[in-house]
Amino acid sequence: MEQTVEQKLKALWAWQSIETEIDKIRQVRGELPIEVADLEDEIAGLDTRIEKIRNELDELEDSIVKRKNMIKDAQAAIKKYETQLNEVKNNREYDAISKEIEIQGLEIQVCEKRIREAEFEIKNKTEAYEATAKNVDFSKGELDAKKQELETITSETQKDEDKLLAEVEKSEKNIDERLLKVIKKLRRSFRNGLAVVSIERDSCSGCHNKIPPQLQSEIRQRKKIIICEHCGRILVDEEIASEEA
């Protein structure tokens, strides 16, 4: 059986009333779900940073070991060349061997410099690692507290929310499919989620703009579905709103 416009308006207001109650329940949770998600992202980022620092520290430690081995090799080479100096037969050989000793000495100096630089980096990165690890521990503590708070609030309100969600589903069966798509789109368009609103003090209760007397009269007649010319929300008269309150 075809619904009258009045029946459609009442069904729309009933749907909006239930959705508003659900919004109120979710508002109790406030920003907690977002804060929990943000903390989880922050911790994931910090864990990635810790892993990166750990890998860099390993690379620096390996470079120090490598440089120390290069120093040992250079020192061994110097000893070998110094022994050869005692066996040279001419100045040319002496100069060549002396040059090799000088090169190995420079290699040792470079390696020692690189080791000092690596040790300085290790000190800085270790401090960064420890500071980041502390931040992770702090953030994990914050996350646990907020998760517990959210879980407490959710457990207290979930039963009511589930009941209202079932009522919304039931109420949607009384609304024309095309009209349902319209109000759902409208609901997503506004931060307060109000797609169907009433007249309050001669104004649209959604955007608070004045509604002309002639239009108010048409709304009260319930002959057709009327939208606010300012915000596009569907308007119902005060009586429908009070009947469903």
Side-chain angles (χ1 to χ4, degrees):
M1 183 178 171
E2 183 73 22
Q3 282 183 315
T4 65
V5 173
E6 182 174 350
Q7 287 172 327
K8 288 180 180 179
L9 288 168
K10 286 184 176 180
L12 289 171
W13 182 255
W15 174 86
Q16 180 64 71
S17 298
I18 300 166
E19 289 284 17
T20 299
E21 286 303 308
I22 292 171
D23 288 343
K24 287 178 182 176
I25 286 174
R26 289 174 177 170
Q27 281 168 8
V28 172
R29 297 171 196 162
E31 298 294 317
L32 273 175
I34 296 171
E35 289 173 9
V36 166
D38 286 346
L39 276 168
E40 287 173 338
D41 289 343
E42 181 185 331
I43 289 167
L46 289 170
D47 283 339
T48 300
R49 188 182 176 198
I50 282 175
E51 184 63 25
K52 183 173 180 287
I53 294 172
R54 188 184 292 121
N55 290 334
E56 289 171 346
L57 284 168
D58 288 342
E59 288 173 6
L60 287 166
E61 292 287 356
D62 289 343
S63 75
I64 288 174
V65 171
K66 182 182 174 183
R67 296 288 180 186
K68 284 181 176 179
N69 287 333
M70 289 172 69
I71 288 173
K72 286 179 182 177
D73 292 341
Q75 288 171 337
I78 287 172
K79 283 184 180 179
K80 183 186 76 172
Y81 289 132
E82 284 176 343
T83 301
Q84 290 176 0
L85 276 179
N86 298 323
E87 301 170 0
V88 296
K89 297 176 181 177
N90 53 56
N91 289 339
R92 184 179 173 185
E93 286 182 8
Y94 184 89
D95 290 342
I97 293 171
S98 296
K99 186 67 176 175
E100 288 297 333
I101 291 172
E102 183 184 346
I103 290 170
Q104 294 302 320
L106 290 171
E107 180 71 16
I108 290 171
Q109 288 178 33
V110 170
C111 286
E112 288 173 342
K113 182 173 182 291
R114 295 285 181 263
I115 287 171
R116 288 194 297 272
E117 289 171 351
E119 287 172 341
F120 181 75
E121 268 197 84
I122 286 172
K123 180 176 177 293
N124 288 339
K125 288 187 184 296
T126 300
E127 288 174 357
Y129 180 94
E130 290 170 354
T132 306
K134 283 182 182 178
N135 287 339
V136 169
D137 290 341
F138 178 79
S139 294
K140 282 182 176 178
E142 286 276 290
L143 178 61
D144 288 342
K146 288 188 183 296
K147 273 186 172 179
Q148 189 174 352
E149 186 180 352
L150 180 58
E151 189 178 330
T152 300
I153 293 170
T154 301
S155 64
E156 290 172 352
T157 59
Q158 194 63 55
K159 188 176 178 181
D160 290 337
E161 185 178 349
D162 289 342
K163 182 183 174 184
L164 288 168
L165 287 169
E167 287 180 20
V168 164
E169 193 175 339
K170 185 179 176 182
S171 74
E172 288 178 353
K173 293 175 182 176
N174 298 323
I175 301 172
D176 174 76
E177 190 175 339
R178 182 188 61 80
L179 199 52
L180 185 60
K181 285 181 181 177
V182 171
I183 58 175
K184 282 188 173 183
K185 185 178 179 181
L186 275 171
R187 180 166 157 73
R188 289 193 298 270
S189 300
F190 300 108
R191 285 189 68 184
N192 59 12
L194 296 177
V196 185
V197 295
S198 62
I199 301 170
E200 287 183 8
R201 299 185 186 88
D202 300 324
S203 301
C204 165
S205 62
C207 65
H208 308 294
N209 279 295
K210 286 288 183 183
I211 302 171
Q214 178 60 36
L215 191 59
Q216 288 188 50
S217 177
E218 289 180 33
I219 293 167
R220 293 187 182 103
Q221 288 172 26
R222 306 174 189 175
K223 296 281 180 69
K224 60 181 178 179
I225 293 174
I226 296 172
I227 65 170
C228 173
E229 60 187 15
H230 298 284
C231 66
R233 293 178 172 94
I234 294 173
L235 293 162
V236 301
D237 60 83
E238 306 95 316
E239 285 188 24
I240 286 181
S242 61
E243 284 171 12
E244 295 292 337

